[in-house]
Amino acid sequence: MDLLRIPSISADSRFKEDVKKTAESIADHLNSIGMSKVEIFPTEGHPIVYGEKIISEDKPTVMIYGHYDVQPPDPLDLWDNPPFEPIIKKTEAHPQGAIFARGSCDDKGQVFMHIKAIEILNSMGELPCNVKFLIEGEEEIGSRNLETFVKNHRDLLTSDIILVSDTSIVSNDCPSITVGLRGLSYLEVEVVGPNRDLHSGVYGGAVANPVNVLCQMIASLHDENGKVTVKGFYDKVEELSAEYRNEMNKRPFSYENYCKDLEINATRGENGYTVIEQVSIRPTLDVNGIWGGYIGEGAKTVLPSKAFAKISMRLVPHQISSEITELFKAHFEAIAPECVKVKVMPHHGGEAAVVSTESIGYAAASKAMEEAFGKKPIPTREGGSIPIVAMFKKILGTDTILMGFGLDSDAIHSPNEHYGIFNYLKGIDTIPRFHQYFAEMNEGKV
Ligand code: BES
Ligand code: MN
Ligand code: MN
C-alpha cells in the first residue's frame, strides 16, 4: 500500500522525485528481505534497482525483472477513488476484493509478489536458486536507459532464466502462461496548413484545414477489410498455420461478455481473424491521441494552423520496429496532399517476443501454476509489449518466462486500475514453486 501511494509516473517530469523515492523504497525492501549488493543505479532518466542473493555457484540463477514506474493516471475525474490512495473493494471478477490504485497490477503489485515470495524462501533458508532482482523505472516510457545498462552490466545480469510478472492470465479459473508479446512502433505526426490560425468564415472553404486533412489521412490508414494500408506493413508478418490458430482459439472466450464488459455493440478489426487473433498475433495501427484547433469552453470559429496525432503500431514477430517506423513515415509523407506539410517524429519502439513451451523454464512455470491453481495453465499470446524481453535475448542471450497474474479486466493504464487479492496471493504461492522446480529440473538435466 505504501509503495502504491508514491506517484511514480515516469512520463511526467514533475514526478521525478517521486519516481526516485519509489526506487529507494524498492531498494529498502530488497535489503529488508536479505538481498545483497542492493544498489540504485542512476541513469540519464529514472534509476534502476538491483539486488541479489547468491547461495551457490553450482545453483541456477533466476533474474526477476519488473518495473516500479506507472502510467499517468489521467483522466483523474474518472477514478472512483484517488489513484494514489489505494483501497480494497470487491468486484464481480474479484469477489475476494481487489486493490484499487495506479500500478496495483501494472506492475508494482506484481513486483511485490516476488519480493514477498523471495522473503519467505530466504527467511526459511530454502532458496533453491540464486536470485537477482532488476526493477526499472522506465518501462512505461520504452525502457530508454535499460538497454544501455544491460549492455554495460552483462556480467552482473548473467542468469539462466529471466522471470517476469507483468502480463495476465485468462481468468482466475483458467491459468495461463504468456508465450508471445507484440512489438511496438510509436510516433507523432504533425500536419501544418496556413502559417497562423485563421477566421474560418473568411478563409474557410479555400484554405486546407489541417485537422480535416489529418482525419482523412488517418482514415485512409485502414482499408475496408480492416487491414493497415501502410505500404509494406505486412511484408514480414508470419502467417501462422491453421492448426496453431485453431489451438489458440480453444481458450475460453465469450464474444458477448467481451462486448458487454466494454459496453460496445460489436468489435471491429481485421477481417478473417477472431478477436483472440486480432489482439495477439496480428499487427495493428491505432491513434492514441489527436488534437488541434480550439478545444476550450464554448465555440470559436477558427481554421487551425496545425493538427497533431500520436500513432502507435503493434507489431508481430519478424516485423522490425525501426523498419515499420520508416515505412510509416514514407507512406504518410506520400499520402499528404500538396496543401499541407507533414512531419513524422518517431518515439520509442520495441520488438515482439515469443517464448518456447519446450524449455525447462516453461515446464517449471507450468508445474508451479498447475500446483497453485489446481489446473494446468495454457499458453497464450498477448497483445501488450515489453520491449526489454527481446532485448534481453539479444544482449544477454537469456530467455524470459512471462508468468503474470493480472486479468485483462484489471484496467491497467485505465482509470480504476486494480489487482485482485486472489491474484496477488496466488502469485506469492506460485513463485516459490517456480524456483523450486526450476532448480530441480536443471539438476535433472546435469
Ligand atoms: N505490462 C504491460 C505490458 C502488457 C500488458 C503485456 C498486458 C501483456 C498484457 C507494460 O507495462 C506496458 O504497458 N507496456 C507498454 C509498452 C511500452 C513500450 C510503453 C505497452 O504495451 O503499451
Ligand atoms: Mn507493465
Ligand atoms: Mn504498462
Side-chain angles (χ1 to χ4, degrees):
M1 290 294 200
D2 287 338
L3 207 54
L4 291 172
R5 282 193 187 97
I6 322 174
S8 50
I9 308 164
S10 50
D12 190 336
S13 57
R14 289 174 300 172
F15 293 88
K16 201 171 165 57
E17 273 310 301
D18 289 304
V19 177
K20 195 168 154 230
K21 258 191 237 160
T22 314
E24 285 158 4
S25 172
I26 296 279
D28 289 346
H29 280 292
L30 293 182
N31 272 318
S32 77
I33 64 164
M35 296 298 105
S36 338
K37 273 172 81 174
V38 174
E39 194 169 337
I40 300 173
F41 290 92
T43 73
E44 274 173 33
H46 302 301
I48 294 163
V49 188
Y50 178 84
E52 63 174 39
K53 178 83 184 195
I54 307 296
I55 50 164
S56 156
E57 291 299 326
D58 304 328
K59 297 282 181 192
T61 302
V62 178
M63 182 161 82
I64 297 152
Y65 162 80
H67 62 97
Y68 66 81
D69 65 320
V70 303
Q71 285 275 327
D74 316 71
L76 282 174
D77 52 318
L78 294 184
W79 286 76
D80 296 331
N81 296 279
F84 298 104
E85 293 173 27
I87 62 152
I88 295 175
K89 284 194 299 189
K90 290 183 175 152
T91 71
E92 212 174 299
H94 296 295
Q96 295 178 36
I99 307 171
F100 282 75
R102 172 58 89 231
S104 55
C105 176
D106 185 13
D107 185 34
K108 286 172 176 170
Q110 299 213 57
V111 164
F112 212 65
M113 299 181 315
H114 288 271
I115 294 178
K116 291 291 115 178
I118 298 302
E119 176 179 30
I120 298 162
L121 287 174
N122 196 33
S123 67
M124 302 199 308
E126 286 180 9
L127 261 183
C129 297
N130 302 315
V131 288
K132 295 180 172 181
F133 279 91
L134 178 68
I135 313 297
E136 71 152 319
E138 295 191 307
E139 195 278 340
E140 299 291 10
I141 51 172
S143 302
R144 268 180 228 157
N145 294 292
L146 187 59
E147 181 180 357
T148 319
F149 181 82
V150 174
K151 281 183 182 152
N152 293 337
H153 296 83
R154 282 199 178 85
D155 290 342
L156 184 70
L157 304 179
T158 303
S159 72
D160 297 278
I161 196 79
I162 297 164
L163 180 62
V164 179
S165 294
D166 193 21
T167 52
S168 357
I169 51 176
V170 172
S171 69
N172 284 354
D173 44 38
C174 180
S176 55
I177 298 171
T178 306
V179 294
L181 292 168
R182 286 194 284 195
L184 186 73
S185 163
Y186 202 115
L187 39 87
E188 202 165 315
V189 299
E190 186 178 332
V191 176
V192 185
N195 62 1
R196 57 187 190 274
D197 284 5
L198 303 173
H199 188 291
S200 67
V202 176
Y203 289 95
V207 176
N209 180 325
V211 179
N212 296 12
V213 172
L214 177 58
C215 289
Q216 281 166 350
M217 290 175 75
I218 286 170
S220 79
L221 296 175
H222 287 96
D223 70 12
E224 65 284 4
N225 294 314
K227 283 232 160 16
V228 175
T229 57
V230 172
K231 214 163 163 269
F233 189 73
Y234 293 96
D235 284 1
K236 294 197 173 168
V237 173
E238 178 187 23
E239 290 297 333
L240 294 163
S241 70
E243 274 151 276
Y244 188 93
R245 290 174 59 189
N246 250 337
E247 204 49 47
M248 281 185 65
N249 284 298
K250 282 186 190 154
R251 64 170 263 196
F253 177 78
S254 153
Y255 185 79
E256 200 192 327
N257 291 346
Y258 189 80
C259 291
K260 213 169 106 195
D261 174 50
L262 301 173
E263 295 181 44
I264 53 177
N265 297 324
T267 59
R268 168 138 113 164
E270 188 181 356
N271 288 353
Y273 295 92
T274 64
V275 169
I276 290 175
E277 293 167 344
Q278 286 167 348
V279 299
S280 63
I281 58 163
R282 298 302 296 169
T284 63
L285 182 151
D286 274 291
V287 176
N288 302 103
I290 182 163
W291 69 102
Y294 183 68
I295 52 164
E297 196 182 333
K300 179 186 177 192
T301 47
V302 63
L303 195 163
S305 158
K306 289 178 180 176
F308 306 84
K310 289 183 195 278
I311 296 176
S312 68
M313 290 163 281
R314 293 284 169 177
L315 311 177
V316 296
H318 307 309
Q319 282 182 302
I320 298 164
S321 174
S322 58
E323 280 181 18
I324 294 293
T325 301
E326 280 312 307
L327 289 177
F328 179 93
K329 192 167 185 284
H331 180 85
F332 204 73
E333 285 166 359
I335 62 169
E338 207 189 342
C339 52
V340 295
K341 295 183 204 76
V342 299
K343 268 190 239 166
V344 178
M345 293 147 294
H347 277 284
H348 52 265
E351 314 305 344
V354 271
V355 176
S356 166
T357 54
E358 306 291 320
S359 67
I360 289 183
Y362 187 88
S366 180
K367 197 165 174 199
M369 271 200 151
E370 182 172 0
E371 263 188 21
F373 284 83
K375 235 181 201 177
K376 197 179 159 103
I378 56 169
T380 51
R381 287 177 64 159
E382 289 200 84
S385 309
I386 310 177
I388 200 66
V389 173
M391 212 82 87
F392 281 145
K393 182 70 184 173
K394 198 170 127 198
I395 304 170
L396 302 172
T398 316
D399 290 315
T400 295
I401 293 299
L402 298 163
M403 191 172 75
F405 295 87
L407 297 183
D408 282 349
S409 57
D410 285 346
I412 63 170
H413 295 204
S414 301
N416 301 316
E417 175 179 351
H418 54 280
Y419 190 43
I421 304 287
F422 171 89
N423 304 69
Y424 175 69
L425 296 177
K426 210 46 110 179
I428 299 175
D429 186 358
T430 308
I431 292 161
R433 300 178 198 272
F434 172 86
H435 288 265
Q436 185 198 328
Y437 292 130
F438 188 71
E440 278 175 17
M441 289 175 183
N442 265 290
E443 265 157 37
K445 199 179 68 175
V446 176

